[in-house]
Amino acid sequence: MDIDLLSPGVFAGHRFLDRLAAVRERPGLTWHPEPDGPGFWVAARYDDVQAVLSDPGTFSSRAGIRLGGSGEAADLVADRMMVVSDPPRHGRIRRVVGAPFTPAALRQWHDRIVAGVTDLVDEVVAADAGGPLVRDAVGDLAQRLPNQVICAMMNLPRADWPLIGRLTTDGLDSPDPIDRLDANAEIFGYFADLIAERRARPGDDLISALLAADGDLTDDELILNCSGVLTGASETVRYAAAGALLVFGDRPELWTALRAAPELLPTTVEEILRWTSPGLHALRTVTRPVTVAGTVLHPGDRVTAWICSANRDPAVFPDPDTFRPDRTPNKHLAFGWGPHVCVGARVARLELTALLTALIRRVRVIAPAGEPVWGAGNFIHGLTRLPVRLSPA
């Protein structure tokens, strides 16, 4: 390997994408050694990533879905948490967890989500400054956006929103596995109390909707999957939104063009998702002999599907390293593929569309106001700080 996919520092920025491009050029899958483990295969081309993600019978999620994750933790939640389960159990959990996210169900949330996002933008782009405003696009906007939406959908007390946002980020992004476990344990405890409360007094909220579609899930399984929904709803949108503001700040002509032609919003949102690809990889464990791209895999082998690399594959995306707001078709894999495709994808698209719509109305120019700061991790990738200067419209 010309790139150490286990080194967090490799992912601080975008240079790792160039090195993954070199991996794409190699025939077959590429073997990656592991100092304290058995090693794993790397799938970097679009077709190979899609093949791995679309066949859960051969490529299992039960042993964990990320490099550096805890095998013991995966064993505890296997076939109980949607993202760490295989068919047929995965389908039964997904029917319950996905019920509040169908197009029909989302209609009741649409106006609330749009109004919440608009209020957030109005708050951040304060009109009383009388000139350009310097803001941290991550801390002031992108990080609050999905946390505020999902907390509102769950009808959590507003005083708890900052705590939930911090625990969600720590449970997924913390470089210390113990800190990740502690944060997730605190989230589980929070949802245990919340589920008991909503079971006694159901309301018009996401938790109550999950309880109404309970199926055969135990309370423990509901707790685990509420946490999964919270995490999935928060991190992708956060990093995609921040990445979008980075692009529009670096290329102001794109922002001017979008404000002049808002009909480009749907394709722009899809390009933001492809371009940012916040979820870098998905880990799978082979269950039966299989050949991918000429590479023979055996039961017990681990394969990492690098979604970020697939979304830059020139065989599928012409001129993949250029941000093109009008790109069509755009069959990116930012939400995964196959049975494990993200149940919250519709909400994420709605949030990003509402964000850009509100910014188009309130912001004339987005300009850099300092150096961007990138997180260093090989699972979820994005900006942790982005100073921007917003000129109110």
Side-chain angles (χ1 to χ4, degrees), residues 181-340:
L181 288 172
D182 288 346
N184 283 312
E186 193 167 346
I187 290 175
F188 296 159
Y190 184 94
F191 278 114
D193 293 339
L194 190 65
I195 284 174
E197 175 192 320
R198 298 295 163 80
R199 197 184 292 282
R201 293 181 295 277
D204 181 19
D205 60 86
L206 182 59
I207 304 295
S208 298
L210 286 173
L211 290 170
D214 196 331
D216 64 346
L217 298 192
T218 66
D219 276 10
D220 283 352
E221 289 167 339
L222 284 168
I223 291 165
L224 290 170
N225 286 286
C226 282
S227 172
V229 167
L230 183 70
T231 300
S234 297
E235 298 307 296
T236 296
V237 172
R238 166 190 169 181
Y239 290 124
L245 288 165
L246 176 66
V247 169
F248 291 128
D250 287 344
R251 296 184 60 190
E253 75 279 5
L254 294 180
W255 183 243
T256 301
L258 183 61
R259 294 190 73 226
E263 63 271 16
L264 287 176
L265 271 170
T267 54
T268 299
V269 167
E270 297 306 318
E271 182 70 344
I272 288 168
L273 291 164
R274 181 196 75 87
W275 179 260
T276 57
S277 293
L280 296 183
H281 80 268
L283 174 68
R284 299 291 187 264
T285 302
V286 177
T287 62
R288 56 195 177 205
V290 65
T291 300
V292 177
T295 300
V296 178
L297 305 175
H298 304 282
D301 284 355
R302 297 188 303 159
V303 181
T304 51
W306 288 85
I307 293 167
C308 57
S309 176
N311 283 344
R312 297 291 182 105
D313 190 338
V316 178
F317 304 100
D319 194 16
D321 295 324
T322 299
F323 185 94
R324 288 171 38 185
D326 60 348
R327 185 183 296 276
T328 51
N330 194 344
K331 297 182 179 180
H332 63 79
L333 307 179
F335 292 118
W337 188 262
H340 278 277

Side-chain angles (χ1 to χ4, degrees), residues 100-245:
F101 296 100
T102 63
L106 276 177
R107 279 194 282 272
Q108 69 170 311
W109 305 111
H110 180 278
D111 291 348
R112 271 186 272 183
I113 291 173
V114 171
V117 174
T118 303
D119 288 347
L120 175 61
V121 171
D122 287 347
E123 176 190 336
V124 171
V125 187
D128 57 2
L133 312 159
V134 175
R135 296 286 187 261
D136 174 13
V138 179
D140 293 335
L141 190 59
Q143 189 168 359
R144 293 172 60 193
L145 167 69
N147 183 63
Q148 188 162 307
V149 167
I150 196 64
C151 286
M153 290 178 69
M154 291 182 169
N155 196 24
L156 305 185
R158 186 175 287 270
D160 293 349
W161 291 7
L163 169 67
I164 293 299
R166 178 180 61 77
L167 291 176
T168 302
T169 299
D170 289 349
L172 192 66
D173 290 352
S174 175
D176 186 334
I178 301 300
D179 288 345
R180 291 202 301 266
L181 288 172
D182 288 346
N184 283 312
E186 193 167 346
I187 290 175
F188 296 159
Y190 184 94
F191 278 114
D193 293 339
L194 190 65
I195 284 174
E197 175 192 320
R198 298 295 163 80
R199 197 184 292 282
R201 293 181 295 277
D204 181 19
D205 60 86
L206 182 59
I207 304 295
S208 298
L210 286 173
L211 290 170
D214 196 331
D216 64 346
L217 298 192
T218 66
D219 276 10
D220 283 352
E221 289 167 339
L222 284 168
I223 291 165
L224 290 170
N225 286 286
C226 282
S227 172
V229 167
L230 183 70
T231 300
S234 297
E235 298 307 296
T236 296
V237 172
R238 166 190 169 181
Y239 290 124
L245 288 165

